[in-house]
Structure formats: structure tokens, C-alpha cells
Coordinates of all heavy atoms in Angstrom, one line a residue:
M1 N -13.5 -8.0 82.1 CA -14.3 -7.6 83.2 C -13.7 -8.2 84.5 O -13.3 -9.4 84.5 CB -15.7 -8.1 83.0 CG -16.5 -8.4 84.2 SD -18.1 -9.1 84.1 CE -18.9 -7.9 83.1
E2 N -13.8 -7.5 85.5 CA -13.4 -7.9 86.9 C -14.6 -8.6 87.6 O -15.6 -8.0 87.6 CB -12.8 -6.8 87.7 CG -12.3 -7.2 89.1 CD -11.9 -6.1 89.9 OE1 -12.1 -4.9 89.5 OE2 -11.3 -6.3 91.0
I3 N -14.4 -9.8 88.1 CA -15.4 -10.5 88.8 C -14.9 -10.8 90.2 O -13.8 -11.3 90.4 CB -15.8 -11.8 88.1 CG1 -16.3 -11.5 86.7 CG2 -16.9 -12.5 88.9 CD1 -16.4 -12.7 85.9
K4 N -15.6 -10.4 91.2 CA -15.3 -10.7 92.6 C -16.4 -11.6 93.2 O -17.6 -11.3 93.1 CB -15.2 -9.5 93.5 CG -14.1 -8.5 93.1 CD -14.1 -7.3 94.0 CE -13.1 -6.3 93.6 NZ -13.2 -5.1 94.4
V5 N -16.0 -12.7 93.8 CA -16.9 -13.7 94.3 C -16.6 -13.8 95.8 O -15.5 -14.2 96.2 CB -16.8 -15.1 93.6 CG1 -17.8 -16.0 94.2 CG2 -16.9 -14.9 92.1
G6 N -17.6 -13.6 96.6 CA -17.5 -13.8 98.1 C -18.1 -15.2 98.4 O -19.2 -15.5 97.9
I7 N -17.3 -15.9 99.1 CA -17.7 -17.3 99.4 C -18.0 -17.3 100.9 O -17.3 -16.8 101.8 CB -16.6 -18.3 99.1 CG1 -16.4 -18.2 97.6 CG2 -17.0 -19.7 99.4 CD1 -15.2 -19.0 97.1
Q8 N -19.1 -18.0 101.3 CA -19.5 -18.1 102.7 C -18.4 -18.8 103.5 O -17.8 -19.7 103.1 CB -20.8 -18.9 102.8 CG -22.0 -18.2 102.1 CD -23.2 -19.1 102.1 OE1 -23.2 -20.2 102.7 NE2 -24.3 -18.6 101.5
H9 N -18.2 -18.2 104.7 CA -17.2 -18.7 105.7 C -15.8 -18.7 105.2 O -15.0 -19.5 105.7 CB -17.6 -20.2 106.1 CG -19.1 -20.3 106.5 ND1 -19.6 -19.7 107.6 CD2 -20.1 -21.0 106.0 CE1 -20.9 -19.9 107.7 NE2 -21.2 -20.7 106.7
V10 N -15.5 -17.9 104.2 CA -14.1 -17.7 103.7 C -13.8 -16.2 103.8 O -14.6 -15.4 103.3 CB -14.0 -18.2 102.3 CG1 -12.6 -17.9 101.7 CG2 -14.3 -19.7 102.2
A11 N -12.7 -15.9 104.4 CA -12.4 -14.4 104.6 C -12.0 -13.7 103.4 O -12.2 -12.5 103.3 CB -11.3 -14.3 105.6
R12 N -11.4 -14.4 102.4 CA -10.9 -13.7 101.2 C -11.9 -13.9 100.0 O -12.5 -14.9 99.9 CB -9.6 -14.2 100.8 CG -8.5 -13.9 101.9 CD -7.2 -14.3 101.5 NE -6.8 -13.5 100.3 CZ -5.6 -13.6 99.7 NH1 -4.7 -14.4 100.2 NH2 -5.3 -12.9 98.7
E13 N -11.9 -12.8 99.2 CA -12.7 -12.9 97.9 C -11.9 -13.6 96.9 O -10.7 -13.7 96.9 CB -13.0 -11.5 97.4 CG -13.9 -10.7 98.3 CD -14.0 -9.3 97.8 OE1 -13.0 -8.7 97.2 OE2 -15.0 -8.7 98.0
V14 N -12.6 -14.2 95.9 CA -12.0 -14.7 94.7 C -12.1 -13.6 93.6 O -13.2 -13.2 93.3 CB -12.7 -16.0 94.2 CG1 -12.1 -16.5 92.9 CG2 -12.6 -17.1 95.3
H15 N -10.9 -13.2 93.1 CA -10.9 -12.2 92.0 C -10.5 -12.9 90.7 O -9.6 -13.6 90.6 CB -9.8 -11.1 92.3 CG -10.1 -10.3 93.5 ND1 -10.6 -9.1 93.4 CD2 -9.9 -10.6 94.9 CE1 -10.8 -8.6 94.7 NE2 -10.4 -9.5 95.5
I16 N -11.3 -12.5 89.7 CA -11.1 -13.1 88.4 C -11.2 -12.0 87.3 O -12.1 -11.2 87.4 CB -12.2 -14.2 88.1 CG1 -12.1 -15.3 89.1 CG2 -12.0 -14.8 86.7 CD1 -13.3 -16.2 89.1
E17 N -10.2 -12.0 86.4 CA -10.3 -11.1 85.2 C -10.8 -12.0 84.1 O -10.1 -12.9 83.7 CB -9.0 -10.5 84.9 CG -8.6 -9.4 85.8 CD -9.4 -8.1 85.7 OE1 -9.9 -7.8 84.6 OE2 -9.6 -7.4 86.7
S18 N -11.9 -11.7 83.5 CA -12.5 -12.5 82.5 C -13.0 -11.8 81.3 O -13.2 -10.6 81.4 CB -13.7 -13.3 83.1 OG -14.4 -14.1 82.2
D19 N -13.1 -12.5 80.2 CA -13.6 -11.9 78.9 C -15.1 -12.1 78.8 O -15.7 -11.7 77.8 CB -12.9 -12.5 77.7 CG -11.4 -12.1 77.6 OD1 -11.1 -11.0 78.1 OD2 -10.6 -12.9 77.1
M20 N -15.7 -12.8 79.8 CA -17.1 -13.0 79.8 C -17.9 -11.7 80.0 O -17.4 -10.8 80.7 CB -17.5 -14.0 80.9 CG -16.9 -15.4 80.8 SD -17.2 -16.4 82.2 CE -18.9 -16.8 82.0
S21 N -19.1 -11.6 79.4 CA -19.9 -10.5 79.5 C -20.7 -10.6 80.9 O -20.8 -11.7 81.4 CB -20.9 -10.3 78.4 OG -21.8 -11.3 78.4
A22 N -21.2 -9.5 81.3 CA -22.0 -9.5 82.6 C -23.2 -10.4 82.4 O -23.6 -11.1 83.3 CB -22.4 -8.1 82.9
T23 N -23.8 -10.4 81.2 CA -25.0 -11.2 81.0 C -24.6 -12.7 81.1 O -25.4 -13.5 81.6 CB -25.6 -10.9 79.6 OG1 -25.9 -9.5 79.5 CG2 -26.9 -11.7 79.4
D24 N -23.5 -13.1 80.5 CA -23.0 -14.5 80.5 C -22.8 -14.9 82.0 O -23.2 -16.1 82.3 CB -21.7 -14.7 79.7 CG -22.0 -14.5 78.2 OD1 -23.1 -14.6 77.8 OD2 -21.0 -14.3 77.5
V25 N -22.2 -14.1 82.8 CA -21.9 -14.4 84.2 C -23.2 -14.6 84.9 O -23.4 -15.5 85.7 CB -21.0 -13.4 84.8 CG1 -20.8 -13.7 86.3 CG2 -19.7 -13.3 84.1
E26 N -24.2 -13.7 84.7 CA -25.5 -13.7 85.4 C -26.2 -15.0 85.0 O -26.8 -15.7 85.9 CB -26.3 -12.5 85.1 CG -25.8 -11.2 85.7 CD -26.6 -10.0 85.2 OE1 -27.8 -10.2 84.9 OE2 -26.1 -8.9 85.2
Q27 N -26.2 -15.4 83.8 CA -26.8 -16.6 83.3 C -26.2 -17.8 83.9 O -26.9 -18.8 84.3 CB -26.9 -16.7 81.8 CG -27.8 -15.7 81.2 CD -27.7 -15.6 79.7 OE1 -26.8 -16.3 79.1 NE2 -28.6 -14.9 79.0
A28 N -24.8 -17.8 84.0 CA -24.1 -19.0 84.5 C -24.4 -19.1 86.0 O -24.6 -20.2 86.5 CB -22.6 -18.8 84.3
L29 N -24.5 -18.0 86.7 CA -24.9 -18.0 88.2 C -26.3 -18.5 88.4 O -26.5 -19.4 89.2 CB -24.7 -16.7 88.8 CG -25.0 -16.6 90.3 CD1 -24.2 -17.5 91.1 CD2 -25.0 -15.1 90.7
A30 N -27.2 -18.1 87.6 CA -28.6 -18.5 87.7 C -28.8 -20.0 87.4 O -29.5 -20.7 88.1 CB -29.5 -17.7 86.7
A31 N -28.1 -20.5 86.4 CA -28.1 -21.9 86.1 C -27.5 -22.7 87.2 O -28.1 -23.8 87.6 CB -27.4 -22.2 84.8
A32 N -26.4 -22.3 87.7 CA -25.7 -23.0 88.8 C -26.6 -23.0 90.1 O -26.7 -24.1 90.8 CB -24.4 -22.5 89.1
R33 N -27.2 -21.9 90.4 CA -28.1 -21.9 91.6 C -29.4 -22.7 91.5 O -29.9 -23.2 92.4 CB -28.4 -20.4 91.9 CG -27.3 -19.5 92.1 CD -26.7 -19.3 93.5 NE -27.7 -18.9 94.5 CZ -27.3 -18.7 95.7 NH1 -26.0 -18.9 96.0 NH2 -28.1 -18.4 96.6
S34 N -29.9 -22.8 90.3 CA -31.2 -23.4 90.1 C -31.1 -24.9 90.3 O -32.0 -25.6 90.8 CB -31.7 -23.2 88.7 OG -30.9 -23.8 87.7
D35 N -29.9 -25.5 90.0 CA -29.8 -27.0 90.1 C -28.7 -27.3 91.2 O -28.2 -28.5 91.3 CB -29.4 -27.7 88.8 CG -28.1 -27.2 88.2 OD1 -27.5 -26.3 88.8 OD2 -27.7 -27.8 87.2
H36 N -28.4 -26.4 92.1 CA -27.4 -26.6 93.2 C -26.1 -27.2 92.6 O -25.5 -28.0 93.2 CB -28.0 -27.5 94.3 CG -29.3 -26.9 94.8 ND1 -29.3 -25.8 95.7 CD2 -30.6 -27.3 94.6 CE1 -30.6 -25.6 96.0 NE2 -31.3 -26.4 95.4
G37 N -25.7 -26.6 91.5 CA -24.5 -27.1 90.8 C -23.3 -26.3 91.2 O -23.1 -25.7 92.3
V38 N -22.4 -26.1 90.1 CA -21.1 -25.5 90.3 C -21.1 -24.3 89.3 O -21.4 -24.5 88.1 CB -20.0 -26.4 90.0 CG1 -18.6 -25.7 90.0 CG2 -20.0 -27.6 91.0
L39 N -20.7 -23.1 89.8 CA -20.5 -22.0 88.9 C -19.1 -22.1 88.3 O -18.1 -22.2 89.0 CB -20.6 -20.7 89.7 CG -20.2 -19.4 89.0 CD1 -21.2 -19.1 87.8 CD2 -20.2 -18.2 89.9
T40 N -19.1 -22.1 87.0 CA -17.8 -22.2 86.3 C -17.5 -20.9 85.6 O -18.3 -20.4 84.7 CB -17.9 -23.3 85.2 OG1 -18.2 -24.5 85.9 CG2 -16.6 -23.5 84.5
L41 N -16.4 -20.3 85.9 CA -16.0 -19.0 85.3 C -14.6 -19.3 84.6 O -13.8 -20.0 85.1 CB -15.8 -17.9 86.3 CG -17.1 -17.6 87.1 CD1 -16.8 -16.6 88.3 CD2 -18.1 -17.0 86.2
T42 N -14.4 -18.6 83.5 CA -13.2 -18.7 82.7 C -12.5 -17.4 82.7 O -13.1 -16.4 82.4 CB -13.4 -19.2 81.3 OG1 -14.2 -20.4 81.3 CG2 -12.1 -19.5 80.5
D43 N -11.2 -17.4 83.1 CA -10.4 -16.1 83.2 C -9.8 -15.8 81.8 O -10.0 -16.5 80.8 CB -9.4 -16.1 84.3 CG -8.2 -17.0 84.0 OD1 -8.2 -17.7 83.0 OD2 -7.3 -17.1 84.9
E44 N -9.1 -14.7 81.7 CA -8.5 -14.2 80.5 C -7.5 -15.2 79.9 O -7.3 -15.2 78.7 CB -7.9 -12.9 80.7 CG -8.9 -11.7 80.9 CD -8.2 -10.4 81.2 OE1 -7.0 -10.4 81.6 OE2 -8.9 -9.4 81.0
K45 N -6.9 -16.0 80.7 CA -5.9 -16.9 80.2 C -6.4 -18.3 79.9 O -5.7 -19.2 79.6 CB -4.8 -17.0 81.3 CG -4.0 -15.7 81.5 CD -2.9 -15.9 82.5 CE -2.2 -14.5 82.7 NZ -1.1 -14.6 83.6
G46 N -7.7 -18.5 80.0 CA -8.4 -19.7 79.7 C -8.5 -20.7 80.9 O -9.0 -21.8 80.7
R47 N -8.1 -20.3 82.0 CA -8.2 -21.2 83.2 C -9.6 -21.1 83.7 O -10.3 -20.1 83.7 CB -7.2 -20.7 84.3 CG -5.8 -20.8 83.9 CD -4.9 -20.3 85.0 NE -5.1 -18.9 85.1 CZ -4.2 -18.1 85.6 NH1 -3.1 -18.5 86.1 NH2 -4.5 -16.8 85.7
K48 N -10.1 -22.3 84.2 CA -11.4 -22.3 84.8 C -11.4 -22.3 86.3 O -10.6 -22.9 86.9 CB -12.1 -23.6 84.3 CG -12.5 -23.6 82.8 CD -13.3 -24.7 82.4 CE -13.7 -24.6 81.0 NZ -14.6 -25.7 80.6
V49 N -12.4 -21.6 86.9 CA -12.5 -21.5 88.3 C -13.9 -22.1 88.6 O -14.9 -21.6 88.0 CB -12.4 -20.0 88.8 CG1 -12.7 -20.0 90.3 CG2 -11.1 -19.4 88.4
L50 N -13.9 -23.1 89.5 CA -15.2 -23.8 89.8 C -15.5 -23.4 91.3 O -14.7 -23.6 92.2 CB -15.0 -25.3 89.6 CG -14.6 -25.7 88.3 CD1 -14.2 -27.2 88.3 CD2 -15.6 -25.4 87.2
I51 N -16.7 -22.9 91.5 CA -17.2 -22.6 92.8 C -18.5 -23.2 93.1 O -19.5 -23.0 92.2 CB -17.3 -21.0 92.9 CG1 -16.0 -20.4 92.6 CG2 -17.8 -20.6 94.3 CD1 -16.0 -18.9 92.4
P52 N -18.7 -23.9 94.2 CA -20.0 -24.5 94.5 C -21.1 -23.4 94.6 O -20.9 -22.4 95.4 CB -19.8 -25.2 95.8 CG -18.4 -25.3 96.0 CD -17.7 -24.2 95.2
A53 N -22.2 -23.5 93.9 CA -23.2 -22.4 93.9 C -23.8 -22.2 95.2 O -24.1 -21.0 95.6 CB -24.2 -22.7 92.8
D54 N -23.9 -23.2 96.0 CA -24.5 -23.0 97.4 C -23.7 -22.3 98.3 O -24.1 -21.8 99.3 CB -24.9 -24.4 97.9 CG -26.0 -25.1 97.2 OD1 -26.8 -24.4 96.5 OD2 -26.1 -26.3 97.2
A55 N -22.4 -22.2 98.0 CA -21.4 -21.5 98.9 C -21.2 -20.0 98.6 O -20.5 -19.3 99.3 CB -20.1 -22.2 98.9
I56 N -21.8 -19.6 97.5 CA -21.6 -18.2 97.0 C -22.4 -17.2 97.9 O -23.6 -17.4 98.0 CB -22.0 -18.0 95.5 CG1 -21.0 -18.9 94.7 CG2 -21.9 -16.5 95.1 CD1 -21.4 -18.9 93.2
G57 N -21.7 -16.3 98.5 CA -22.3 -15.3 99.3 C -22.8 -14.1 98.5 O -23.9 -13.6 98.6
Y58 N -21.9 -13.6 97.6 CA -22.2 -12.5 96.6 C -21.3 -12.6 95.4 O -20.2 -13.3 95.5 CB -22.1 -11.2 97.3 CG -20.7 -10.8 97.7 CD1 -19.8 -10.1 96.9 CD2 -20.2 -11.2 99.0 CE1 -18.5 -9.8 97.3 CE2 -18.9 -10.9 99.4 CZ -18.1 -10.2 98.5 OH -16.8 -9.9 98.9
L59 N -21.7 -11.9 94.4 CA -20.9 -11.9 93.2 C -20.9 -10.4 92.7 O -22.0 -9.8 92.5 CB -21.5 -12.8 92.1 CG -20.7 -13.0 90.9 CD1 -20.4 -14.5 90.7 CD2 -21.3 -12.4 89.7
E60 N -19.8 -9.8 92.6 CA -19.7 -8.4 92.2 C -19.0 -8.3 90.8 O -18.0 -8.9 90.5 CB -18.8 -7.7 93.2 CG -18.6 -6.2 92.9 CD -17.7 -5.5 93.9 OE1 -17.8 -5.9 95.1 OE2 -17.0 -4.6 93.5
L61 N -19.7 -7.6 89.9 CA -19.3 -7.5 88.5 C -18.7 -6.1 88.3 O -19.4 -5.1 88.6 CB -20.4 -7.7 87.5 CG -21.1 -9.1 87.6 CD1 -22.2 -9.2 86.7 CD2 -20.1 -10.2 87.3
G62 N -17.5 -6.0 87.8 CA -16.9 -4.7 87.5 C -17.2 -4.2 86.1 O -18.1 -4.7 85.5
A63 N -16.5 -3.2 85.7 CA -16.8 -2.6 84.4 C -16.4 -3.6 83.3 O -15.5 -4.4 83.4 CB -15.9 -1.4 84.2
E64 N -17.2 -3.6 82.2 CA -17.0 -4.6 81.1 C -15.6 -4.4 80.5 O -14.9 -5.3 80.2 CB -18.1 -4.4 80.1 CG -19.4 -4.8 80.5 CD -19.8 -6.2 80.0 OE1 -19.2 -6.7 79.1 OE2 -20.9 -6.6 80.4
H65 N -15.2 -3.1 80.2 CA -13.9 -2.8 79.6 C -13.2 -1.8 80.5 O -13.5 -0.6 80.4 CB -14.1 -2.3 78.2 CG -14.8 -3.2 77.3 ND1 -14.2 -4.3 76.8 CD2 -16.1 -3.3 76.9 CE1 -15.0 -5.0 76.0 NE2 -16.2 -4.4 76.1
A66 N -12.3 -2.3 81.3 CA -11.6 -1.4 82.2 C -10.5 -0.6 81.4 O -9.9 -1.2 80.4 CB -10.9 -2.2 83.3
R67 N -10.3 0.6 81.7 CA -9.3 1.4 81.1 C -8.0 1.0 81.5 O -7.7 0.9 82.7 CB -9.6 2.9 81.4 CG -8.7 3.8 80.6 CD -9.1 5.2 80.9 NE -7.8 5.9 81.0 CZ -7.5 6.9 81.8 NH1 -8.4 7.3 82.7 NH2 -6.4 7.4 81.8
R68 N -7.1 0.7 80.6 CA -5.8 0.2 80.8 C -4.9 1.4 81.1 O -5.0 2.5 80.6 CB -5.2 -0.6 79.7 CG -6.0 -1.8 79.3 CD -5.8 -2.8 80.3 NE -6.6 -4.0 80.0 CZ -6.8 -5.0 80.7 NH1 -6.4 -5.1 82.0 NH2 -7.6 -6.0 80.3
V69 N -3.9 1.2 82.0 CA -2.9 2.2 82.4 C -1.6 1.8 81.9 O -1.2 0.6 82.0 CB -2.9 2.4 83.9 CG1 -1.9 3.4 84.3 CG2 -4.3 2.8 84.4
G70 N -0.8 2.8 81.4 CA 0.6 2.5 81.0 C 0.8 2.7 79.5 O -0.1 3.2 78.8
F71 N 1.9 2.4 79.0 CA 2.3 2.7 77.6 C 1.5 1.8 76.6 O 1.3 2.1 75.5 CB 3.8 2.5 77.4 CG 4.6 3.5 78.1 CD1 5.4 3.2 79.2 CD2 4.6 4.8 77.7 CE1 6.1 4.1 79.8 CE2 5.3 5.8 78.3 CZ 6.1 5.4 79.4
G72 N 1.0 0.6 77.0 CA 0.3 -0.3 76.2 C -1.2 0.1 76.0 O -1.9 -0.6 75.3
A73 N -1.6 1.3 76.5 CA -3.0 1.7 76.5 C -3.4 2.4 75.2 O -4.5 2.7 74.9 CB -3.3 2.7 77.6
F74 N -2.4 2.6 74.3 CA -2.7 3.3 73.0 C -3.4 2.5 72.0 O -3.4 1.4 71.7 CB -1.5 3.9 72.4 CG -0.9 4.9 73.3 CD1 0.3 4.7 74.0 CD2 -1.5 6.2 73.4 CE1 0.9 5.7 74.8 CE2 -0.9 7.1 74.2 CZ 0.2 6.9 74.9

């Protein structure tokens, strides 16, 4: 799933390709916002991205399973 995070006072979005479901991301965001903590997202390669919950302007969730393009799509 593609996740885009807009951060307040930052011109560029944070783009993450993750295996997390939309429900998991929503729950992680709600938990981080409730205690003014840190949103932790894990990308497809296992790297963690930490974003202060108070600085998040918006979070955009893409399709759960994007259609792959190319010869490896079979």
C-alpha cells in the first residue's frame, strides 16, 4: 500500500510503500494522536519511519494492492 504523509511546515510529502493494511495504519495514527506520541510506519523493506503525531497535517492511503507493471506482473 502506498502511504503519503503531509507534515506541517514541510513542503514535501513523505512517501512510503508498506505491507501494512489501511486498518493498521489508521489504528497506529489514532494511538499516536491520542497520547501525543510518534507514528511508526514500516516500509516493505522493514525500515521504520517515525513521525511526530502532532506534526502530521494529513495522511493519504493508496490502494491496498497496487497493480504491478512490467514483466514481473504475471
Side-chain angles (χ1 to χ4, degrees):
M1 153 185 300
E2 180 183 11
I3 303 170
K4 294 179 186 177
V5 182
I7 301 173
Q8 296 175 2
H9 310 296
V10 177
R12 295 185 63 174
E13 298 172 325
V14 175
H15 293 262
I16 302 166
E17 286 290 331
S18 178
D19 293 331
M20 297 174 71
S21 69
T23 305
D24 292 341
V25 175
E26 290 176 26
Q27 289 174 353
L29 178 62
R33 302 267 307 179
S34 68
D35 63 355
H36 303 286
V38 175
L39 174 65
T40 303
L41 300 173
T42 306
D43 71 359
E44 290 178 337
K45 297 181 181 180
R47 296 177 293 202
K48 289 189 177 185
V49 178
L50 306 171
I51 304 168
D54 292 337
I56 295 173
Y58 65 91
L59 191 123
E60 181 180 324
L61 302 174
E64 293 255 354
H65 299 285
R67 190 175 136 219
R68 301 289 181 189
V69 177
F71 292 110
F74 295 107

